[in-house]
Amino acid sequence: MSKSITTLICILSIVHFVSAQKKVSNDWLISDLTENVFHLSEVMLHDVASPPAASRFYSYSLLGAYEVVAESNNTFPDISQQFHTKPKFTLPSKPADLYLPFCANYAMLEVGRNIMPSGFQLEAKQKELIAKYQKKLKLSQTQINSNKTYAEAVAMQVLAYAKSDGYNKLSTYKRYTPNKEEGHWYPTPPEYMAPVEPYWPTVRSFFIDSSKHYFNPARPASFSKEPQSSFYTLMKEVYDVTKTMTPEQKQIAAFWDCNPFAVSYSGHMAIGLKKISPGGHWMGITGIVCKQKQVPVDSAILIHTMVALTLHDAFICCWKEKYTSDRIRPETAINKYIDPAWRPMLQTPPFPEYTSGHSVVSAASAEILSYFIGDSFRFTDTSEEYFGLPPRNFTSFRHASSEAGISRIYGGIHFRDSIEEGQKQGNKIGKFVLSKLVH
């Protein structure tokens, strides 16, 4: 096996490109990488990909890019050999004139093109990539063709592995029927959307052994209508906080909304609002900080891949808990037991409440980024500018993760124990993933 991530961290400042690739700045290469990652997000926005599904699409797409990097650099860890179910990649011989940034980006887009419902939209982006590198690096058509052929071969290996992960079986399971008993999750008006991905835990994980261990959180507060109960206290807190929110708290709620299913109403007209998923938000943060820290592009691909894979495993663990505890959402509970006229600031997502998905995946992502970039790395998150929201400043990744968690109370869509236990769950997942690779 190639060297561990511990060794790799010591060489993040080294750029591993042939002479022709040094004609363009690393800043340009990182910008190109993050632009192509966002092209994946654009397709997910078009398809209204669920948060768990989005994490899967990012994971395999970035894995395609990473396999190009790992095969070209023996100082990089063989990530796939740390998977619980190891793939048997048989990669072709590298072209003599391999241009790693082009090849990795092309492989990423090729996986995305084949794995997402509207992935065909990425064909145009692949053509733009070719034209861009021909202009910047003066690559001949022969060089483009050899690199393209290699990237496609790598992508096909990753796609073959993805095909066996159980995702295609999700539509064959019996339709999920919500429990109508008190205290359980039930679709909220006016959309009454069907539950999202109730069988997601059947999808194969990457690092965790999902047949045994989901990093289960503490049990949620038991449902109760009694004013002295823990559950009623949690419910009343959400009600009270949302009735007296400051402008800053409202901004925090909006910034971390990340709800792909949001719907707005104008009279009798329902309007779907395009929003990035929680995973997409953290992929955006990853690109921002890699560029700010001036991480070499091959190392940036490693970091993006690790964040994506961690997101995927975190969603599996979280979704297992959601449909196990099957807890009622604040909107349903408050409307029934406190105030029938109350409405949350954010739209209630169509799946059970405990644990908070954003809390889990944010904490897990923060662990990965803190390890690679640093514990106290200050950054400005501009991920939501595309959606018309101003940037926010953070003193660390855990600071951002903590704010993502508390945003769910401000938004009126989660109880406090769901957030706090979700953050603990995410921390454990992130640390476990790192333990698989750090020796």
Side-chain angles (χ1 to χ4, degrees):
M1 178 181 171
S2 51
K3 295 183 180 180
S4 71
I5 283 184
T6 301
T7 303
L8 176 63
I9 293 300
C10 299
I11 58 172
L12 280 179
S13 61
I14 301 174
V15 183
H16 312 281
F17 301 138
V18 297
S19 59
Q21 291 167 312
K22 294 180 181 178
K23 294 179 181 178
V24 294
S25 68
N26 187 66
D27 190 59
W28 183 86
L29 293 171
I30 292 289
S31 295
D32 187 54
L33 170 65
T34 57
E35 180 181 325
N36 287 309
V37 171
F38 186 71
H39 290 328
L40 300 176
S41 301
E42 288 180 311
V43 176
M44 295 180 211
L45 285 167
H46 177 274
D47 289 340
V48 195
S50 71
S55 72
R56 177 179 180 267
F57 298 148
Y58 284 122
S59 293
Y60 286 113
S61 298
L62 266 300
L63 185 59
Y66 184 75
E67 285 301 315
V68 171
V69 171
E71 283 297 304
S72 306
N73 187 336
N74 62 11
T75 66
F76 273 48
D78 191 347
I79 289 177
S80 65
Q81 290 309 298
Q82 297 304 312
F83 292 169
H84 182 67
T85 304
K86 297 175 178 59
K88 297 179 180 179
F89 293 145
T90 307
L91 301 181
S93 299
K94 301 188 295 288
D97 51 357
L98 176 69
Y99 291 87
L100 185 146
F102 168 79
C103 206
N105 276 286
Y106 197 92
M108 177 177 67
L109 293 174
E110 182 69 9
V111 175
R113 184 177 72 83
N114 285 276
I115 204 170
M116 293 188 284
S118 297
F120 64 88
Q121 296 179 1
L122 294 175
E123 292 178 18
K125 304 304 178 184
Q126 289 177 307
K127 292 177 181 177
E128 290 175 12
L129 185 73
I130 291 171
K132 187 187 300 183
Y133 275 81
Q134 282 182 315
K135 181 178 179 180
K136 281 280 185 180
L137 298 178
K138 309 300 181 185
L139 301 184
S140 68
Q141 191 60 52
T142 299
Q143 290 171 318
I144 287 291
N145 289 343
S146 64
N147 277 264
K148 178 183 170 185
T149 298
Y150 179 70
E152 289 173 341
V154 172
M156 289 304 106
Q157 294 280 319
V158 173
L159 287 164
Y161 179 63
K163 191 175 182 179
S164 63
D165 73 353
Y167 176 77
N168 292 333
K169 295 180 181 179
L170 293 177
S171 62
T172 68
Y173 292 117
K174 181 180 178 181
R175 184 171 179 174
Y176 182 87
T177 302
N179 189 333
K180 295 183 179 181
E181 294 181 6
E182 284 190 318
H184 291 280
W185 173 80
Y186 202 78
T188 49
E191 299 83 14
Y192 293 102
M193 290 185 184
V196 170
E197 308 293 6
Y199 299 106
W200 192 257
T202 65
V203 174
R204 183 183 62 212
S205 57
F206 288 107
F207 297 104
I208 67 171
D209 179 358
S210 58
S211 66
K212 298 178 180 178
H213 195 193
Y214 292 94
F215 298 89
N216 298 328
R219 294 298 81 209
S222 299
F223 172 77
S224 174
K225 295 178 286 186
E226 296 300 320
Q228 306 306 317
S229 68
S230 297
F231 179 83
Y232 197 95
T233 300
L234 291 169
M235 180 171 57
K236 188 67 163 52
E237 179 190 24
V238 175
Y239 181 71
D240 291 340
V241 167
T242 56
K243 297 276 282 186
T244 59
M245 281 201 297
T246 65
E248 171 76 358
Q249 290 171 328
K250 291 178 181 178
Q251 288 176 12
I252 290 172
F255 188 77
W256 295 101
D257 184 8
C258 305
N259 180 6
F261 311 103
V263 179
S264 178
Y265 291 88
S266 179
H268 295 289
M269 182 181 295
I271 304 169
L273 304 177
K274 298 289 187 179
K275 295 186 179 183
I276 203 166
S277 67
H281 194 138
W282 279 96
M283 293 302 293
I285 290 174
T286 303
I288 290 167
V289 299
C290 282
K291 187 172 182 179
Q292 181 179 331
K293 194 174 176 67
Q294 298 183 325
V295 175
V297 69
D298 47 359
S299 298
I301 291 171
L302 162 66
I303 297 170
H304 275 79
T305 304
M306 287 299 299
V307 171
L309 297 171
T310 302
L311 285 167
H312 178 76
D313 281 10
F315 271 114
I316 287 176
C317 293
C318 179
W319 248 242
K320 174 65 174 179
E321 178 57 40
K322 281 185 178 294
Y323 285 94
T324 298
S325 54
D326 188 30
R327 189 163 76 171
I328 191 171
R329 284 276 181 172
E331 183 172 7
T332 307
I334 292 172
N335 285 170
K336 191 169 184 179
Y337 305 113
I338 296 180
D339 182 355
W342 179 85
R343 295 292 179 271
M345 176 182 163
L346 303 182
Q347 182 178 317
T348 297
F351 38 82
E353 190 269 342
Y354 189 90
T355 51
S356 160
H358 217 324
S359 299
V360 175
V361 303
S362 294
S365 299
E367 287 300 316
I368 302 300
L369 289 172
S370 294
Y371 182 80
F372 281 106
I373 305 296
D375 283 327
S376 301
F377 189 80
R378 294 176 177 271
F379 67 98
T380 299
D381 183 0
T382 58
S383 301
E384 298 292 327
E385 284 186 327
Y386 181 86
F387 304 96
L389 296 172
R392 294 189 64 78
N393 298 316
F394 298 102
T395 58
S396 69
F397 301 112
R398 293 187 178 93
H399 175 201
S401 169
S402 178
E403 185 176 280
I406 199 64
S407 75
R408 315 324 261 170
I409 287 183
Y410 299 155
I413 60 175
H414 277 293
F415 302 113
R416 182 173 293 276
D417 64 340
S418 177
I419 294 163
E420 293 179 349
E421 292 302 323
Q423 289 170 331
K424 293 176 185 177
Q425 187 180 24
N427 289 337
K428 292 176 183 177
I429 294 165
K431 285 182 170 65
F432 176 81
V433 168
L434 287 171
S435 76
K436 297 288 286 185
L437 293 172
V438 178
H439 307 297

